[in-house]
């Protein structure tokens, strides 16, 4: 086995986005494309020689080849040891768990999260640091800078490592340990949640359905929900990970998890439903005939954390991404704890957690998590809800309604306009910014604009500033419209419009959010001139 030094040329499009480098599979298959980025990671990830690095992915198309390439490159770059999930699989939360538990130098996660897979789908790669979280911007920027000047990469001339069984192998001077992808994660969940109480709830006849969407959480959900908690066989649907996710979008929302939604909204349906995404970090929570928005879910978890063993001693604080609804802010206020507002993307929560400032955090994009790891965690959120349901013995809808009664309801929706022409989407953002000066104080329908800005965040821990994080139109009554361009899309541009209003009156809580928010939705379209600039008369996805 010899180390080969391969001459290469930089690609100009390897800047990591909201969550690592995400491109079409076909782009990653270009000669040297993956290798350049991996070498850029090894060259930028600090003193990595001799250290242990975790490796795994969500099993999507190209996962297997990429894993073998990365192992050979790691060996050539003098990495001490690779811990890789069996069959190359690790959910994103499990990878974070393993990085933290074994105090490794970091990890490489192969995933394009909720994006479609298969030969024509998307692939992605991201680097996580020793705290188990996505690398902060100064590292992702260093990786990008390196990718622009790279002229060689190192790779060992060796055969594929068998990954189908747990065990240890040597590749050159490096050790490769193939680990059970589920065990460490399942053990951590048992420490955090009251498994006996959930087991009792299920034994009493409470029924649930978990949709793994043919993605990575299948094996985790089978083990935890069915084997350890005793949920009936068949509780987990679409539980076998497939390279193309069965041709579907592995995105747990009302549009893409339709089969599950239909079951929960039918008379014979189960009491509780949940789904997770491609790499297992997102979650959608459903009750019987009831959909819980991710923003409300974060608020409910915060309000009920005292009922859950892992959080019984209190929360130090909570955090939400800027576009996430203000529902959790109201709970934090009542609990007397801090609530931080961060830019979109999980990487901003890590510093707050490492500094002990927050325990729970979440995003409106179906992401919820805690300081047990440094990634959002789909199954964790499901178990948190099951623990609350076991403790309160009320249906999901009842818990939500009681919550709104106590705190008021933040009506919330997100309208996505996908695959726009980049210039048109940028034009909308520029047009909005140009209106800032004339908008403040102006009356729009029954709302008066209080403030407009492009959100900027200064990290309270390291003092770094991230600007241009989304346009906010804030109204006097606390309503908001937020506009952002997605940082994870791979085709054209995606405009996300987040719309929110607050309703204290319980008599008005039963309205459909699209109806309650209709006047603000119209204002949002008008202010952005969305239809005239894009030719779109409706959003592509509403969540
Ligand atoms: C989207 C979500 C964001 C999430 C990210 C990764 O990013 O909006 O909340 O952290 O995916 O899962 P966006 O495409 O909006 O940049
Ligand atoms: Zn994901």
């Amino acid at each position: 086995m010899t180390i080969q030094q391969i001459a290469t040329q930089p690609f100009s499009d390897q800047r990591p986005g909201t969550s690592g480098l995400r491109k079409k599979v076909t782009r990653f298959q270009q000669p040297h494309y993956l290798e350049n980025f991996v070498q850029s990671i090894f060259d930028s990830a600090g003193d990595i020689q001799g250290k242990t690095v975790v490796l795994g992915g969500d099993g999507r198309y190209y996962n297997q080849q990429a894993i073998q390439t990365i192992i050979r490159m790691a060996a050539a770059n003098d990495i001490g040891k690779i811990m890789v999930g069996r069959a190359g699989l690790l959910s994103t939360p499990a990878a974070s768990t393993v990085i933290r538990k074994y105090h490794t130098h970091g990890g490489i996660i192969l995933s394009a999260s909720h994006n479609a897979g298969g030969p024509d789908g998307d692939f992605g790669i991201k680097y996580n640091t020793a705290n188990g979280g996505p690398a902060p911007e100064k590292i992702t920027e260093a990786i990008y800078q390196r990718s622009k000047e790279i002229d060689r990469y190192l790779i060992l001339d060796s055969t594929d490592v068998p990954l189908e069984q747990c065990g240890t192998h040597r590749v050159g001077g490096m050790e490769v340990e193939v680990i059970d992808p589920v065990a460490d994660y399942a053990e951590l969940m048992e420490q955090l949640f009251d498994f006996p109480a959930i087991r009792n709830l299920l034994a009493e006849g409470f029924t649930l359905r978990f949709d793994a969407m043919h993605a990575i959480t299948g094996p985790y959900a089978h083990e935890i929900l069915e084997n350890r908690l005793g949920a009936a066989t068949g509780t987990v649907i679409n539980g076998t990970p497939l390279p193309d996710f069965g041709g579907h979008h592995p995105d747990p929302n009302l549009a893409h998890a339709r089969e599950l939604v239909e079951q929960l909204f039918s008379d014979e349906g189960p009491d509780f439903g949940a789904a997770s995404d491609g790499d297992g970090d997102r979650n959608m929570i459903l009750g019987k005939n009831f959909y819980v928005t991710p923003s409300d879910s974060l608020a409910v978890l915060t309000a009920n954390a005292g009922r859950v063993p892992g959080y019984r001693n209190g929360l130090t604080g909570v955090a939400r991404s800027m576009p996430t609804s203000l529902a959790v802010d109201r709970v934090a206020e009542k609990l007397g704890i801090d609530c931080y507002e961060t830019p979109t993307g999980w990487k901003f929560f890590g510093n707050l957690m490492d500094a002990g400032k927050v325990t729970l955090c979440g995003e409106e994009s179906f992401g919820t998590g805690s300081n047990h790891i440094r990634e959002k965690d789909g199954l964790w959120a499901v178990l948190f809800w099951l623990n609350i349901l076991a403790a309160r013995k009320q249906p999901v809808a009842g818990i939500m309604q009681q919550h709104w009664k106590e705190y008021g309801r933040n009506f919330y929706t997100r309208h996505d306009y996908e695959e726009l022409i980049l210039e048109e989407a940028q034009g909308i953002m520029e047009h909005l910014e140009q209106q800032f000066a004339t908008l403040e104080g102006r009356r729009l329908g029954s709302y008066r604009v209080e403030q407009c800005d492009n959100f900027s965040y200064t990290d309270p821990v390291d003092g770094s500033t991230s600007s241009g994080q989304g346009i906010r139109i804030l109204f006097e009554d606390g309503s908001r419209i937020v506009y952002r361009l997605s940082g994870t899309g791979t085709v054209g541009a995606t405009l996300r419009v987040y719309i929110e209003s607050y309703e204290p009156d319980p008599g008005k809580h039963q309205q459909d959010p699209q109806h309650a928010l209709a006047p603000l939705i119209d204002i949002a379209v008008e202010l952005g001139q969305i239809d005239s600039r894009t030719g779109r008369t409706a959003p592509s996805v509403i969540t």
Side-chain angles (χ1 to χ4, degrees), residues 6-296:
I6 310 285
T8 187
Q9 286 186 343
F11 293 91
S12 60
D13 64 345
Q14 296 199 324
R15 175 178 244 150
T18 311
S19 190
L21 183 69
R22 251 178 232 181
K23 300 285 172 199
K24 289 271 164 218
V25 166
T26 46
R27 185 79 181 131
F28 269 101
Q29 286 171 325
Q30 305 259 308
H32 310 312
Y33 192 86
L34 172 75
E35 291 85 347
N36 274 18
F37 191 72
V38 172
Q39 186 66 51
S40 301
I41 293 176
F42 290 149
D43 290 346
S44 318
D47 197 9
I48 203 168
Q49 282 68 35
K51 305 282 173 51
T52 299
V53 172
V54 173
L55 177 63
D58 62 12
R60 66 178 58 229
Y61 187 84
Y62 200 55
N63 193 73
Q64 298 283 359
Q65 295 99 302
I67 293 266
Q68 295 292 349
T69 301
I70 295 168
I71 289 176
R72 290 208 295 275
M73 289 185 65
N77 278 277
D78 290 332
I79 306 298
K81 175 177 172 179
I82 287 280
M83 292 176 82
V84 57
R86 193 174 51 230
L89 298 179
L90 272 177
S91 74
T92 293
S96 188
T97 303
V98 174
I99 293 170
R100 292 172 68 79
K101 179 170 177 183
Y102 298 100
H103 306 289
T104 70
H105 188 76
I108 294 177
I109 303 177
L110 306 179
S111 164
S113 190
H114 50 288
N115 294 12
D120 302 319
D122 290 344
F123 190 75
I125 172 165
K126 73 172 180 176
Y127 179 67
N128 281 27
T129 51
N131 72 349
E137 256 169 18
K138 63 173 189 301
I139 296 183
T140 55
E141 266 310 291
I143 294 171
Y144 173 54
Q145 293 307 328
R146 181 74 194 122
S147 78
K148 288 197 298 188
E149 56 199 32
I150 192 162
D151 58 5
R152 62 96 184 99
Y153 61 84
L154 304 177
I155 189 160
L156 198 71
D157 171 19
S158 59
T159 53
D160 281 0
V161 179
L163 298 176
E164 296 311 317
Q165 259 151 39
C166 295
T168 312
H169 307 273
R170 282 216 87 77
V171 178
M174 184 180 81
E175 183 183 334
V176 175
E177 185 186 353
V178 182
I179 61 168
D180 180 329
V182 178
D184 294 312
Y185 178 81
E187 184 190 296
L188 179 59
M189 293 302 113
E190 287 218 39
Q191 287 162 14
L192 294 173
F193 300 108
D194 189 347
F195 271 41
I198 301 174
R199 221 175 279 131
N200 282 343
L201 177 77
L202 296 172
E204 284 163 10
F206 183 92
T207 51
L208 71 139
R209 194 83 77 247
F210 180 85
D211 188 350
M213 306 192 83
H214 289 303
I216 189 71
T217 42
Y220 295 84
H222 277 303
E223 171 61 20
I224 295 173
L225 300 177
E226 293 177 355
N227 296 348
R228 300 199 184 197
L229 289 169
T233 310
T235 291
V236 180
I237 57 173
N238 301 320
T240 306
L242 298 175
D244 67 348
F245 308 119
H248 302 292
H249 262 272
D251 199 358
N253 61 32
L254 296 174
H256 293 304
R258 199 161 291 150
E259 180 189 352
L260 178 76
V261 174
E262 274 165 16
Q263 290 186 16
L264 269 292
F265 281 78
S266 74
D267 288 343
E268 331 71 69
D271 300 307
F272 180 80
S276 192
D277 71 330
D279 62 332
D281 58 359
R282 293 187 172 199
N283 73 89
M284 176 172 67
I285 302 293
L286 300 165
K288 213 179 195 29
N289 294 309
F290 201 90
Y291 161 63
V292 181
T293 70
S295 295
D296 277 341

